[in-house]
Amino acid sequence: MKPIIPLSLSLLLNFLVLCAAADHESSSSSTILFATLGGRSANAFDVFALPTWDPPSIATEIRITDGRSLNFNGHFPSSSLFSLLTNQSLILTRPEPIPTELIYVTERNGTWNIYYDAVFRNTPRSTRSRSALEEVKEEEEDNLVRFQLPLLSSMQSNNQISMKDKPSLSGNYLVYVSTHEDTGEPRTSWAAVYSTDLRTGLTRRLTPLGIADFSPAVSPSGVWTAVASYGERGWNGDVEELSTDIYVFLTRDGTQRVKVVEHGGWPCWVDELTLYFHRRGSDNWWSIYRAILPSEGPVSTESVVVERVTSPGLHAFTPAASPGNKNFIAVATRRPTSKFRHIELLDLVRNEFKELTRLVSPQTHHFNPFFSSDSNRVGYHRCRGESNGRKNTQLLLENLQSPVDDVSLFRMDGSFPSFSPAGDRIAYVEFPGVYVVNRDGSNRRRVYPDSAFSTVWDQVRKGVIYTSTGPTFAEPTTEVDVISINVDDDDLNGQPEFKKLTTNGENNAFPFPSPDGKWVVFRSGRSGYKNLYIMDAVDGERGGLHRLTEGPWSDTMCSWSPDGDWIAFASDRENPGSGSFELYLIHPNRTGLRKLFQSGSGGRANHPTFSPDGKSILFTSDYAGISAEPISNPHHYQPYGEIFTMKLDGSDLKRLTHNSFEDGTPTWGYRYIKPLDVEWLKGGPQCSFEDCHWLNQTPNQNRGDVSTKPQCRA
């Protein structure tokens, strides 16, 4: 059991750590950028609620969270926590309405946490007073007062970074998922369920070691917790539907664990013997099912009765139930007539749906419903857009807490970022186009208009960047070319000049220049397979071409070390065509080939790049498995992608990111950027993200064009 530092001291220590990091910079300091694909920067989620009895309308929808960062996966506590968490009493001079209390997940201040908000509405300042609440944030917005607390300190797990998710409350115990403990096994999820006593701060792991649990739900009595879990079977690489089962165990200590349902996810309780969950049926419709546990005798998959609740014809998932309410549940749906997921109530007596969110925000995705204990409100999260009436900024660079000393870590709103040699500019890709922007978000310019992927700056010739132009995920014979762009040399039309360096018309991509600026390593499909070649950096193939690797496999995503001695790359040479990639090193003279990293059997490791001192490798991998049920989030091709570093001898593996998104295309720059968010000057998020792609096809349509295999940005 691990103690949590008291909240006020925890916040003070976190603040001091952040300030120290912001002021700290040495000659060895550096910065890592990476991209989160799938529209993460545009999500801008807040938690909202609608009444269940009144007709839904814009006027009756309330926004509960504060419009900052990413707020989602809410939970209404069944009893007030205000006095417990603040250790204070609110002294009022007149009767006040009961506050809206919410527990939810948030990604802010560089890390994930679970927050508690108490929101008082219609509360003029002149009618209230309170004792000093130094650790509690007070905010006034249109007669709204907010008291806000992080429930889990970032120092809870010896300052280890983790993703916190899917909170539930049982009395004074917070039950949630965390990824702070390394399993020690490749491609094994770090997601496990923990409980924290909010009075004492003591934390207990409820998931057995070596097991991954997702989507916990606590029974109405608090005695039992249900989870979706692989058990001892483990993850097989699935990303559309996790092949999990439903397990139940004692909330107090995780004992008496038993499997109650084969094949199911996202459990929720209506009473001590009744669970709802979702699964994709044999007819390929996502549907809600009910599991009835026996009142007497042993509980097992044989003694539990499972019934299908929703019929084919629409997708229904992530169910929510209210304790004791057997009349209706809430579900997220994707109907064939809509491009958006919405929250609906399912009348269990009449077997009828009642639409909620489509009548309020028809062109917005809504996620993961949850009920108040009296069933009068249903909560969910959606992109806030401009609905909160405040300026809604979008971040060019979003600072994340870094577990690596002297390294600042940022998520960038753009793919394949790379630093200029001076560190003052960043090149990146949008699809289509290559862009350059100042590090502070100013002077954004499109320097190449067509489809491109990967960017890297020449370290010798100022203003020259290299990229690949053409389609992604293409066959070896598809025309993709390596070009160089002089971003400081505009033509008469104000467009930078570019030079085509490859001439054979095959799949040439992922260029990376040598540190002396003389050569460029790249991958090419000219032999019928994707192997590595080296060509002249200025004149391309015409100035000289040498083959570096050879074989009936794919060698790709290459990077040159700062001292020029090594080239790192990703390859599927152990199992060509399988989609499994490992990392390798080779000298530019074709000697010294060795494997650097493998993410378990069938695993993926991609986009290696060297640290500025050349002693470590930065890359993306599925080494830590998957952290949440993918259907509970917007679409990500690879929701298991996380950023890692390791030394060139294969030691000191470190996980840098923890989330349920697709993190990739990292770069490691020489210059240190203070760990502070950098806003775009181009405006706020547009909420333009996609739902899970497999929900876009109705099951009776041909699914042959929908790939279920993992993909890499190759």
Side-chain angles (χ1 to χ4, degrees), residues 256-549:
Q256 298 188 33
R257 183 182 177 102
V258 61
K259 183 195 294 185
V260 297
V261 172
E262 295 270 5
H263 185 197
W266 203 268
C268 65
W269 300 84
V270 65
D271 57 43
E272 297 301 297
L273 298 177
T274 309
L275 282 166
Y276 289 89
F277 63 94
H278 65 209
R279 71 161 65 133
R280 186 164 62 181
S282 58
D283 54 14
N284 281 324
W285 289 101
W286 281 84
S287 300
I288 306 302
Y289 293 76
R290 178 170 44 233
I292 303 173
L293 281 61
S295 58
E296 297 180 356
V299 178
S300 68
T301 56
E302 288 76 22
S303 64
V304 172
V305 177
V306 175
E307 306 167 336
R308 188 170 185 170
V309 175
T310 59
S311 302
L314 83 164
H315 292 301
F317 41 88
T318 59
S322 182
N325 181 355
K326 297 188 177 183
N327 293 321
F328 58 86
I329 60 174
V331 298
T333 65
R334 269 295 302 273
R335 293 182 174 271
T337 55
S338 174
K339 295 181 180 179
F340 297 91
R341 69 171 70 183
H342 285 289
I343 307 304
E344 303 188 37
L345 298 181
L346 174 59
D347 188 318
L348 298 170
V349 178
R350 299 180 180 180
N351 194 28
E352 296 177 351
F353 281 94
K354 175 185 176 181
E355 292 189 295
L356 292 179
T357 59
R358 191 189 67 82
L359 303 177
V360 178
S361 305
Q363 304 297 309
T364 303
H365 290 296
H366 301 75
F367 296 83
N368 306 354
F370 58 98
F371 274 114
S372 59
S373 58
D374 59 8
S375 302
N376 287 332
R377 289 179 297 173
V378 60
Y380 48 87
H381 61 268
R382 67 167 173 86
C383 186
R384 56 183 166 265
E386 299 298 332
S387 64
N388 59 9
R390 70 169 62 186
K391 181 183 178 183
N392 211 354
T393 59
Q394 189 166 350
L395 299 178
L396 167 67
L397 302 179
E398 181 182 7
N399 170 244
L400 302 181
Q401 185 178 345
S402 173
V404 180
D405 293 338
D406 294 329
V407 177
S408 57
L409 178 65
F410 292 90
R411 173 186 291 122
M412 182 177 176
D413 184 18
S415 297
F416 295 100
S418 64
F419 282 108
S420 64
D424 58 340
R425 292 185 289 179
I426 302 170
Y428 68 97
V429 167
E430 289 186 357
F431 298 101
V434 178
Y435 291 77
V436 171
V437 65
N438 290 347
R439 203 176 70 181
D440 63 1
S442 64
N443 196 29
R444 177 176 178 264
R445 302 169 56 220
R446 189 179 70 176
V447 297
Y448 185 74
D450 297 331
S451 177
F453 57 100
S454 82
T455 70
V456 61
W457 293 75
D458 193 300
Q459 297 297 307
V460 177
R461 286 181 296 281
K462 181 181 178 182
V464 173
I465 63 175
Y466 302 89
T467 189
S468 322
T469 176
T472 59
F473 306 121
E475 296 300 316
T477 56
T478 302
E479 183 173 359
V480 180
D481 283 299
V482 173
I483 64 173
S484 63
I485 308 170
N486 189 336
V487 301
D488 295 330
D489 187 11
D490 294 350
D491 62 18
L492 294 177
N493 296 319
Q495 184 71 37
E497 295 183 350
F498 69 90
K499 179 187 293 186
K500 184 177 174 182
L501 301 181
T502 52
T503 60
N504 68 312
E506 305 296 340
N507 195 328
N508 306 292
F510 292 103
F512 202 104
S514 60
D516 61 9
K518 295 181 179 180
W519 304 98
V520 169
V521 62
F522 66 105
R523 76 108 194 271
S524 178
R526 65 191 62 213
S527 69
Y529 302 100
K530 295 175 181 177
N531 295 146
L532 301 185
Y533 295 78
I534 296 175
M535 66 180 170
D536 185 89
V538 176
D539 297 323
E541 291 185 35
R542 298 178 184 86
L545 181 69
H546 312 284
R547 187 165 190 164
L548 181 61
T549 65

Side-chain angles (χ1 to χ4, degrees), residues 697 701-708:
Q697 299 277 340
Q701 290 179 315
N702 180 12
R703 293 174 53 89
D705 60 342
V706 181
S707 173
T708 60

Side-chain angles (χ1 to χ4, degrees), residues 1-4 156 173 195 197 200-205 252:
M1 302 176 76
K2 303 174 183 177
I4 296 183
Q156 172 185 345
Y173 288 87
S195 70
D197 188 333
T200 65
L202 292 177
T203 296
R204 181 191 298 271
R205 181 181 173 121
R252 68 169 183 262

